[in-house]
């Protein structure tokens, strides 16, 4: 498949934003005109963000010819979706016809944003956005068979997208639809009804594609492994997550699939083990208590579960700051950034208190947590965070109010800022010179990456046990180097749908001249491990990642 949207980053442009000696924050745009309730990075280095169409007048206007006629006949010329260009920080207003409030999304295998559901007139809509200079939203009013509000999406090995759950929907379906009648079918998923309590606490279920091709689904405290092809549960013996804490909306925690280490010896199923990491949340009655004016402390607990293990057991840990409505972002190094949220309350209008301004950096190999420098902007309900190609994290949104309201305790936030992890100030970055076979990869096939690195040899990274080769292969060459592939995620309501990282199997590293090297590795073996689509490729040396380079696998 042709890689249509590949853009080579200008190291000069992005290096202008990397300053300081430790983790730091920078305000990127004081206002993008809307509150970034949903955010996704496209493979043309643009970020699409949107909120909801019934928030009232936003602070950015549509061209007159693209104004929207509302259900009551009024004309609305304020935009509720924008495109942010990361290269020059320009903002372009986009047109959304139907309500996207609390919807879901995923990038298709050809880099098109497929976005589903919402509220009111948007609850059965499937929207698409193609990465191009002047593209805008296209909407299919009957793209879903049933209404989907607070559902989750996951791209599958065959390129289809599964849409799971939603308020009052204990089922799933696939998008985009074809002309076949069989496509317009809904499949029952009783697990979603079984995990619902008095205040739900199982919306936006955490969905992760396991390395055996089945779907891991976590809701509230319980989880299953699900064969969506044959509509059957293949594993229901996962223990409930301990602690008495609810983890899904509105007691909102967050979840990631930890980096998949390809070619490692830790496999139990002929493919890499898959491990889920879930943090934060709130007591089951936190939402009801907050409505009554009592804001209960959020959870500090985190849990790890190897979902491919023969006898899986939760390994519980404790992060340094309690957090509800936090986001978890996989960094190019394999670390996890925990960011945004509140110390008390639940997700919902006016229901959060005591914003958590300090991100926390989690290192999976050592299970250590490090508190980072704080932002000065509270990011509460309806905030977002996504990884961008220069290795920073773009943070936006926060609107715990029913409308655009700039006078409340936690006002509507229209700004976007960037968080720079410590690796961006710890030394010179490796630079990718070239990739063979360029940007189009094939499963199982070799990849060669030319890169330069000015760093001196340091301590081995935490992936060394997995990557280390025989001494004669690596004598005089940087052993503490590895390659990661990161899928762009669709972030909303503290869950980054389709977020995924692979640490590629390395064959050897060649020193060409001086600080010039070639690293030979292998593309992921199957679409179970890496669903078809676009990924950011990083070379990491001495714990410092290169700029990401877009590649496509099919």
């Amino acid at each position: 498949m042709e890689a249509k949207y590949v853009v080579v980053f200008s190291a000069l442009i992005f290096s202008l934003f990397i300053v300081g000696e430790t983790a730091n924050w920078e305000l990127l745009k004081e206002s993008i005109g809307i509150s970034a309730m949903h955010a996704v990075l496209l493979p043309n280095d643009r970020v699409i963000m949107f909120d909801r169409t019934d928030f009232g007048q936003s602070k950015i206007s549509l061209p007159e010819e693209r104004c929207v006629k509302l259900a009551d006949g009024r004309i609305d010329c304020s935009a509720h979706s924008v495109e942010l260009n990361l290269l020059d920080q320009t903002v372009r207003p986009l047109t959304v016809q139907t309500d996207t409030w609390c919807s879901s999304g995923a990038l298709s295998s050809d880099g098109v944003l497929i976005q589903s559901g919402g509220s009111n007139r948007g609850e059965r809509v499937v929207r698409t956005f193609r990465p191009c200079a002047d593209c805008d939203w296209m909407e299919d009013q009957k793209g879903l068979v049933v209404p989907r509000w607070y559902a989750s999406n996951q791209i599958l090995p065959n390129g289809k997208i599964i849409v799971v759950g939603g308020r009052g929907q204990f089922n799933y379906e696939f998008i985009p639809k074809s002309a076949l009648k069989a496509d317009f079918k809904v499949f029952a998923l009783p697990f979603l009804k079984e995990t619902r309590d008095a205040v739900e606490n199982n919306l936006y279920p955490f969905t992760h594609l396991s390395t055996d091709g089945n779907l891991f689904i976590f809701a509230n405290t319980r989880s299953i492994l699900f064969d969506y092809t044959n509509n059957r549960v293949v594993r229901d013996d996962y223990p409930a997550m301990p602690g008495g804490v609810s983890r899904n909306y509105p007691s909102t925690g967050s979840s990631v699939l930890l980096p998949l280490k390809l070619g490692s010896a830790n496999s139990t199923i002929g493919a890499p083990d898959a491990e889920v990491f879930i943090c934060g949340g709130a007591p089951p009655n936190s939402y009801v208590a907050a409505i009554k004016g009592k804001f209960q402390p959020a959870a500090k607990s985190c849990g790890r579960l190897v979902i491919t293990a023969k006898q899986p057991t939760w390994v519980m840990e404790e992060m340094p700051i309690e957090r509800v409505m936090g986001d978890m972002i996989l960094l190019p190094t394999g670390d996890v950034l925990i960011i945004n949220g509140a110390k008390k309350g639940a997700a919902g209008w006016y229901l959060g208190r005591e914003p958590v301004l300090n991100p926390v950096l989690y290192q999976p190999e050592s299970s250590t947590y490090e508190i980072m420098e704080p932002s000065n902007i509270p990011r509460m309900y309806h905030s977002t965070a996504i990884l961008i190609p220069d290795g920073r994290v773009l943070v936006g949104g926060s609107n715990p109010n029913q409308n655009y309201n700039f006078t409340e305790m936690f006002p509507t936030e229209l700004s976007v800022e960037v968080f720079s992890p410590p690796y961006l100030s710890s030394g010179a970055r490796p630079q990718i010179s070239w990739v063979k076979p360029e940007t189009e990869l094939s499963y199982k096939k070799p990849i060669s990456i030319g890169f330069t690195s000015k760093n001196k040899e340091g301590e081995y990274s935490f992936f060394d046990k997995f990557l280390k080769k025989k001494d004669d292969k690596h004598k005089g060459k940087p052993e503490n180097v590895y390659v990661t592939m990161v899928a762009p995620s669709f972030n909303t309501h503290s869950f980054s749908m389709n977020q995924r990282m692979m640490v590629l199997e390395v064959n050897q590293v060649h020193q060409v001249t001086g600080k010039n090297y070639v690293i030979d590795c292998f593309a992921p073996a199957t679409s179970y491990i890496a669903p078809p689509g676009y990924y950011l490729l990083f070379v990491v040396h001495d714990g410092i990642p290169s700029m990401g380079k877009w590649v496509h696998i099919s």
Side-chain angles (χ1 to χ4, degrees):
M1 181 181 293
E2 181 183 357
K4 298 180 182 178
Y5 312 122
V6 173
V7 174
V8 177
F9 265 88
S10 165
L12 175 61
I13 291 175
F14 276 98
S15 65
L16 296 177
F17 304 120
I18 300 168
V19 295
E21 298 177 354
T22 58
N24 66 81
W25 290 86
E26 179 191 349
L27 183 66
L28 193 65
K29 295 285 288 187
E30 187 173 351
S31 173
I32 58 169
I34 65 164
S35 186
M37 184 190 300
H38 312 75
V40 61
L41 172 69
L42 302 185
N44 62 350
D45 307 331
R46 310 293 197 267
V47 177
I48 304 301
M49 293 174 282
F50 49 97
D51 50 25
R52 52 183 287 198
T53 58
D54 60 351
F55 260 175
Q57 292 292 314
S58 69
K59 298 296 182 180
I60 185 169
S61 298
L62 293 165
E64 185 176 351
E65 67 273 11
R66 289 200 277 128
C67 295
V68 177
K69 185 175 182 179
L70 302 177
D72 60 8
R74 291 181 296 116
I75 302 298
D76 184 9
C77 288
S78 65
H80 292 280
S81 176
V82 299
E83 177 191 72
L84 172 65
N85 186 331
L86 292 175
L87 293 173
D88 60 12
Q89 292 84 58
T90 55
V91 176
R92 182 167 70 95
L94 304 173
T95 308
V96 178
Q97 299 282 346
T98 54
D99 196 359
T100 50
W101 184 22
C102 304
S103 52
S104 54
L107 284 190
S108 69
S109 59
D110 59 355
V112 175
L113 172 57
I114 309 292
Q115 203 274 316
S116 56
S119 182
N120 301 313
R121 291 195 308 145
E123 62 188 7
R124 290 185 56 197
V125 176
V126 170
R127 308 167 192 86
T128 57
F129 187 93
R130 292 187 174 276
C132 73
D134 57 354
C135 285
D136 209 335
W137 287 102
M138 303 291 290
E139 303 193 29
D140 180 354
Q141 303 294 324
K142 297 180 180 179
L144 293 168
V145 179
V146 298
R148 302 283 178 188
W149 196 25
Y150 303 95
S152 294
N153 291 15
Q154 172 66 52
I155 189 166
L156 301 173
N158 64 1
K160 279 283 192 179
I161 296 166
I162 188 170
V163 188
V164 180
R167 176 159 284 169
Q169 298 296 340
F170 313 112
N171 51 57
Y172 64 95
E173 60 183 290
F174 301 96
I175 57 172
K177 309 294 187 189
S178 71
L180 298 175
K181 187 176 180 180
D183 260 11
F184 292 84
K185 186 175 181 180
V186 171
F187 303 86
L189 186 55
F191 170 76
L192 296 177
K193 182 178 287 188
E194 296 164 4
T195 52
R196 183 179 62 164
D197 61 20
V199 289
E200 296 173 314
N201 281 325
N202 70 342
L203 297 179
Y204 279 123
F206 301 146
T207 55
H208 299 288
L209 180 68
S210 180
T211 50
D212 62 0
N214 292 308
L215 192 66
F216 177 81
I217 306 174
F218 181 99
N220 205 343
T221 62
R222 293 174 49 201
S223 47
I224 58 172
L225 194 64
F226 189 69
D227 177 357
Y228 49 84
T229 302
N230 297 298
N231 190 31
R232 65 187 184 96
V233 175
V234 294
R235 188 164 198 175
D236 60 2
D237 63 344
Y238 294 117
M241 190 171 179
V245 175
S246 295
R247 307 288 175 172
N248 295 84
Y249 184 91
S251 295
T252 305
S254 192
S255 175
V256 294
L257 183 69
L258 291 175
L260 302 173
K261 301 175 183 179
L262 310 189
S264 60
N266 67 339
S267 171
T268 58
I269 55 172
D273 276 338
E275 185 175 12
V276 167
F277 181 50
I278 296 174
C279 278
N285 64 340
S286 187
Y287 179 83
V288 173
I291 289 176
K292 297 177 180 179
K294 183 178 181 181
F295 302 96
Q296 298 187 9
K300 278 189 175 181
S301 60
C302 296
R304 295 173 60 158
L305 183 71
V306 179
I307 64 177
T308 49
K310 291 182 179 179
Q311 295 182 316
T313 303
W314 285 100
V315 176
M316 300 303 294
E317 302 175 352
E318 192 167 277
M319 55 185 171
I321 307 173
E322 56 266 51
R323 199 179 302 250
V324 63
M325 297 180 287
D327 290 283
M328 297 171 68
I329 306 300
L330 292 170
L331 299 179
T333 54
D335 294 335
V336 180
L337 185 70
I338 308 171
I339 197 167
N340 298 337
K343 291 184 180 180
K344 292 182 177 180
W349 304 131
Y350 317 104
L351 300 184
R353 292 294 186 273
E354 298 187 26
V356 184
L357 300 177
N358 295 82
V360 167
L361 189 66
Y362 176 72
Q363 293 186 330
E365 291 295 315
S366 58
S367 294
T368 56
Y369 299 81
E370 182 181 356
I371 298 176
M372 299 282 102
E373 292 295 317
S375 170
N376 59 10
I377 303 175
R379 300 288 182 180
M380 306 281 279
Y381 188 44
H382 289 151
S383 58
T384 50
I386 58 170
L387 177 71
I388 57 177
D390 63 0
R392 296 179 300 167
V393 174
L394 182 73
V395 181
S398 187
N399 190 11
N401 314 298
Q402 287 182 295
N403 299 291
Y404 292 110
N405 190 321
F406 305 100
T407 60
E408 288 284 348
M409 180 188 305
F410 301 112
T412 302
E413 188 55 63
L414 306 183
S415 69
V416 290
E417 55 188 335
V418 284
F419 174 76
S420 295
Y423 52 60
L424 292 181
S425 59
S426 59
R429 304 185 71 168
Q431 295 184 4
I432 296 176
S433 309
W434 49 265
V435 176
K436 294 180 181 179
E438 298 184 343
T439 55
E440 192 67 29
L441 308 182
S442 299
Y443 292 110
K444 300 182 182 179
K445 299 299 183 182
I447 309 170
S448 291
I449 304 167
F451 73 98
T452 60
S453 181
K454 297 179 181 179
N455 276 1
K456 295 179 181 179
E457 287 304 304
E459 296 297 322
Y460 291 148
S461 71
F462 55 72
F463 284 115
D464 280 349
K465 291 182 290 184
F466 154 62
L467 292 171
K468 195 173 182 181
K469 304 295 181 181
K470 293 180 180 179
D471 289 342
D472 57 352
K473 268 191 177 182
H474 287 261
K475 189 174 181 180
K477 303 175 181 66
E479 286 188 332
N480 49 341
V481 61
Y482 53 98
V483 179
T484 58
M485 278 176 58
V486 186
S489 60
F490 180 95
N491 178 269
T492 189
H493 290 76
S494 300
F495 183 46
S496 292
M497 303 175 196
N498 303 290
Q499 185 172 212
R500 196 175 192 86
M501 173 184 286
M502 286 73 63
V503 184
L504 301 189
E505 179 183 0
V506 172
N507 181 27
Q508 60 182 344
V509 182
H510 310 273
Q511 187 173 24
V512 182
T513 58
K515 298 297 182 180
N516 297 299
Y517 302 94
V518 175
I519 185 168
D520 295 325
C521 50
F522 295 95
T526 70
S527 58
Y528 290 173
I529 297 169
Y534 284 87
Y535 292 82
L536 283 168
L537 186 76
F538 295 90
V539 171
V540 185
H541 184 206
D542 282 333
I544 305 173
S546 66
M547 300 285 183
K549 181 177 179 63
W550 286 107
V551 296
H552 183 266
I553 191 166
S554 60

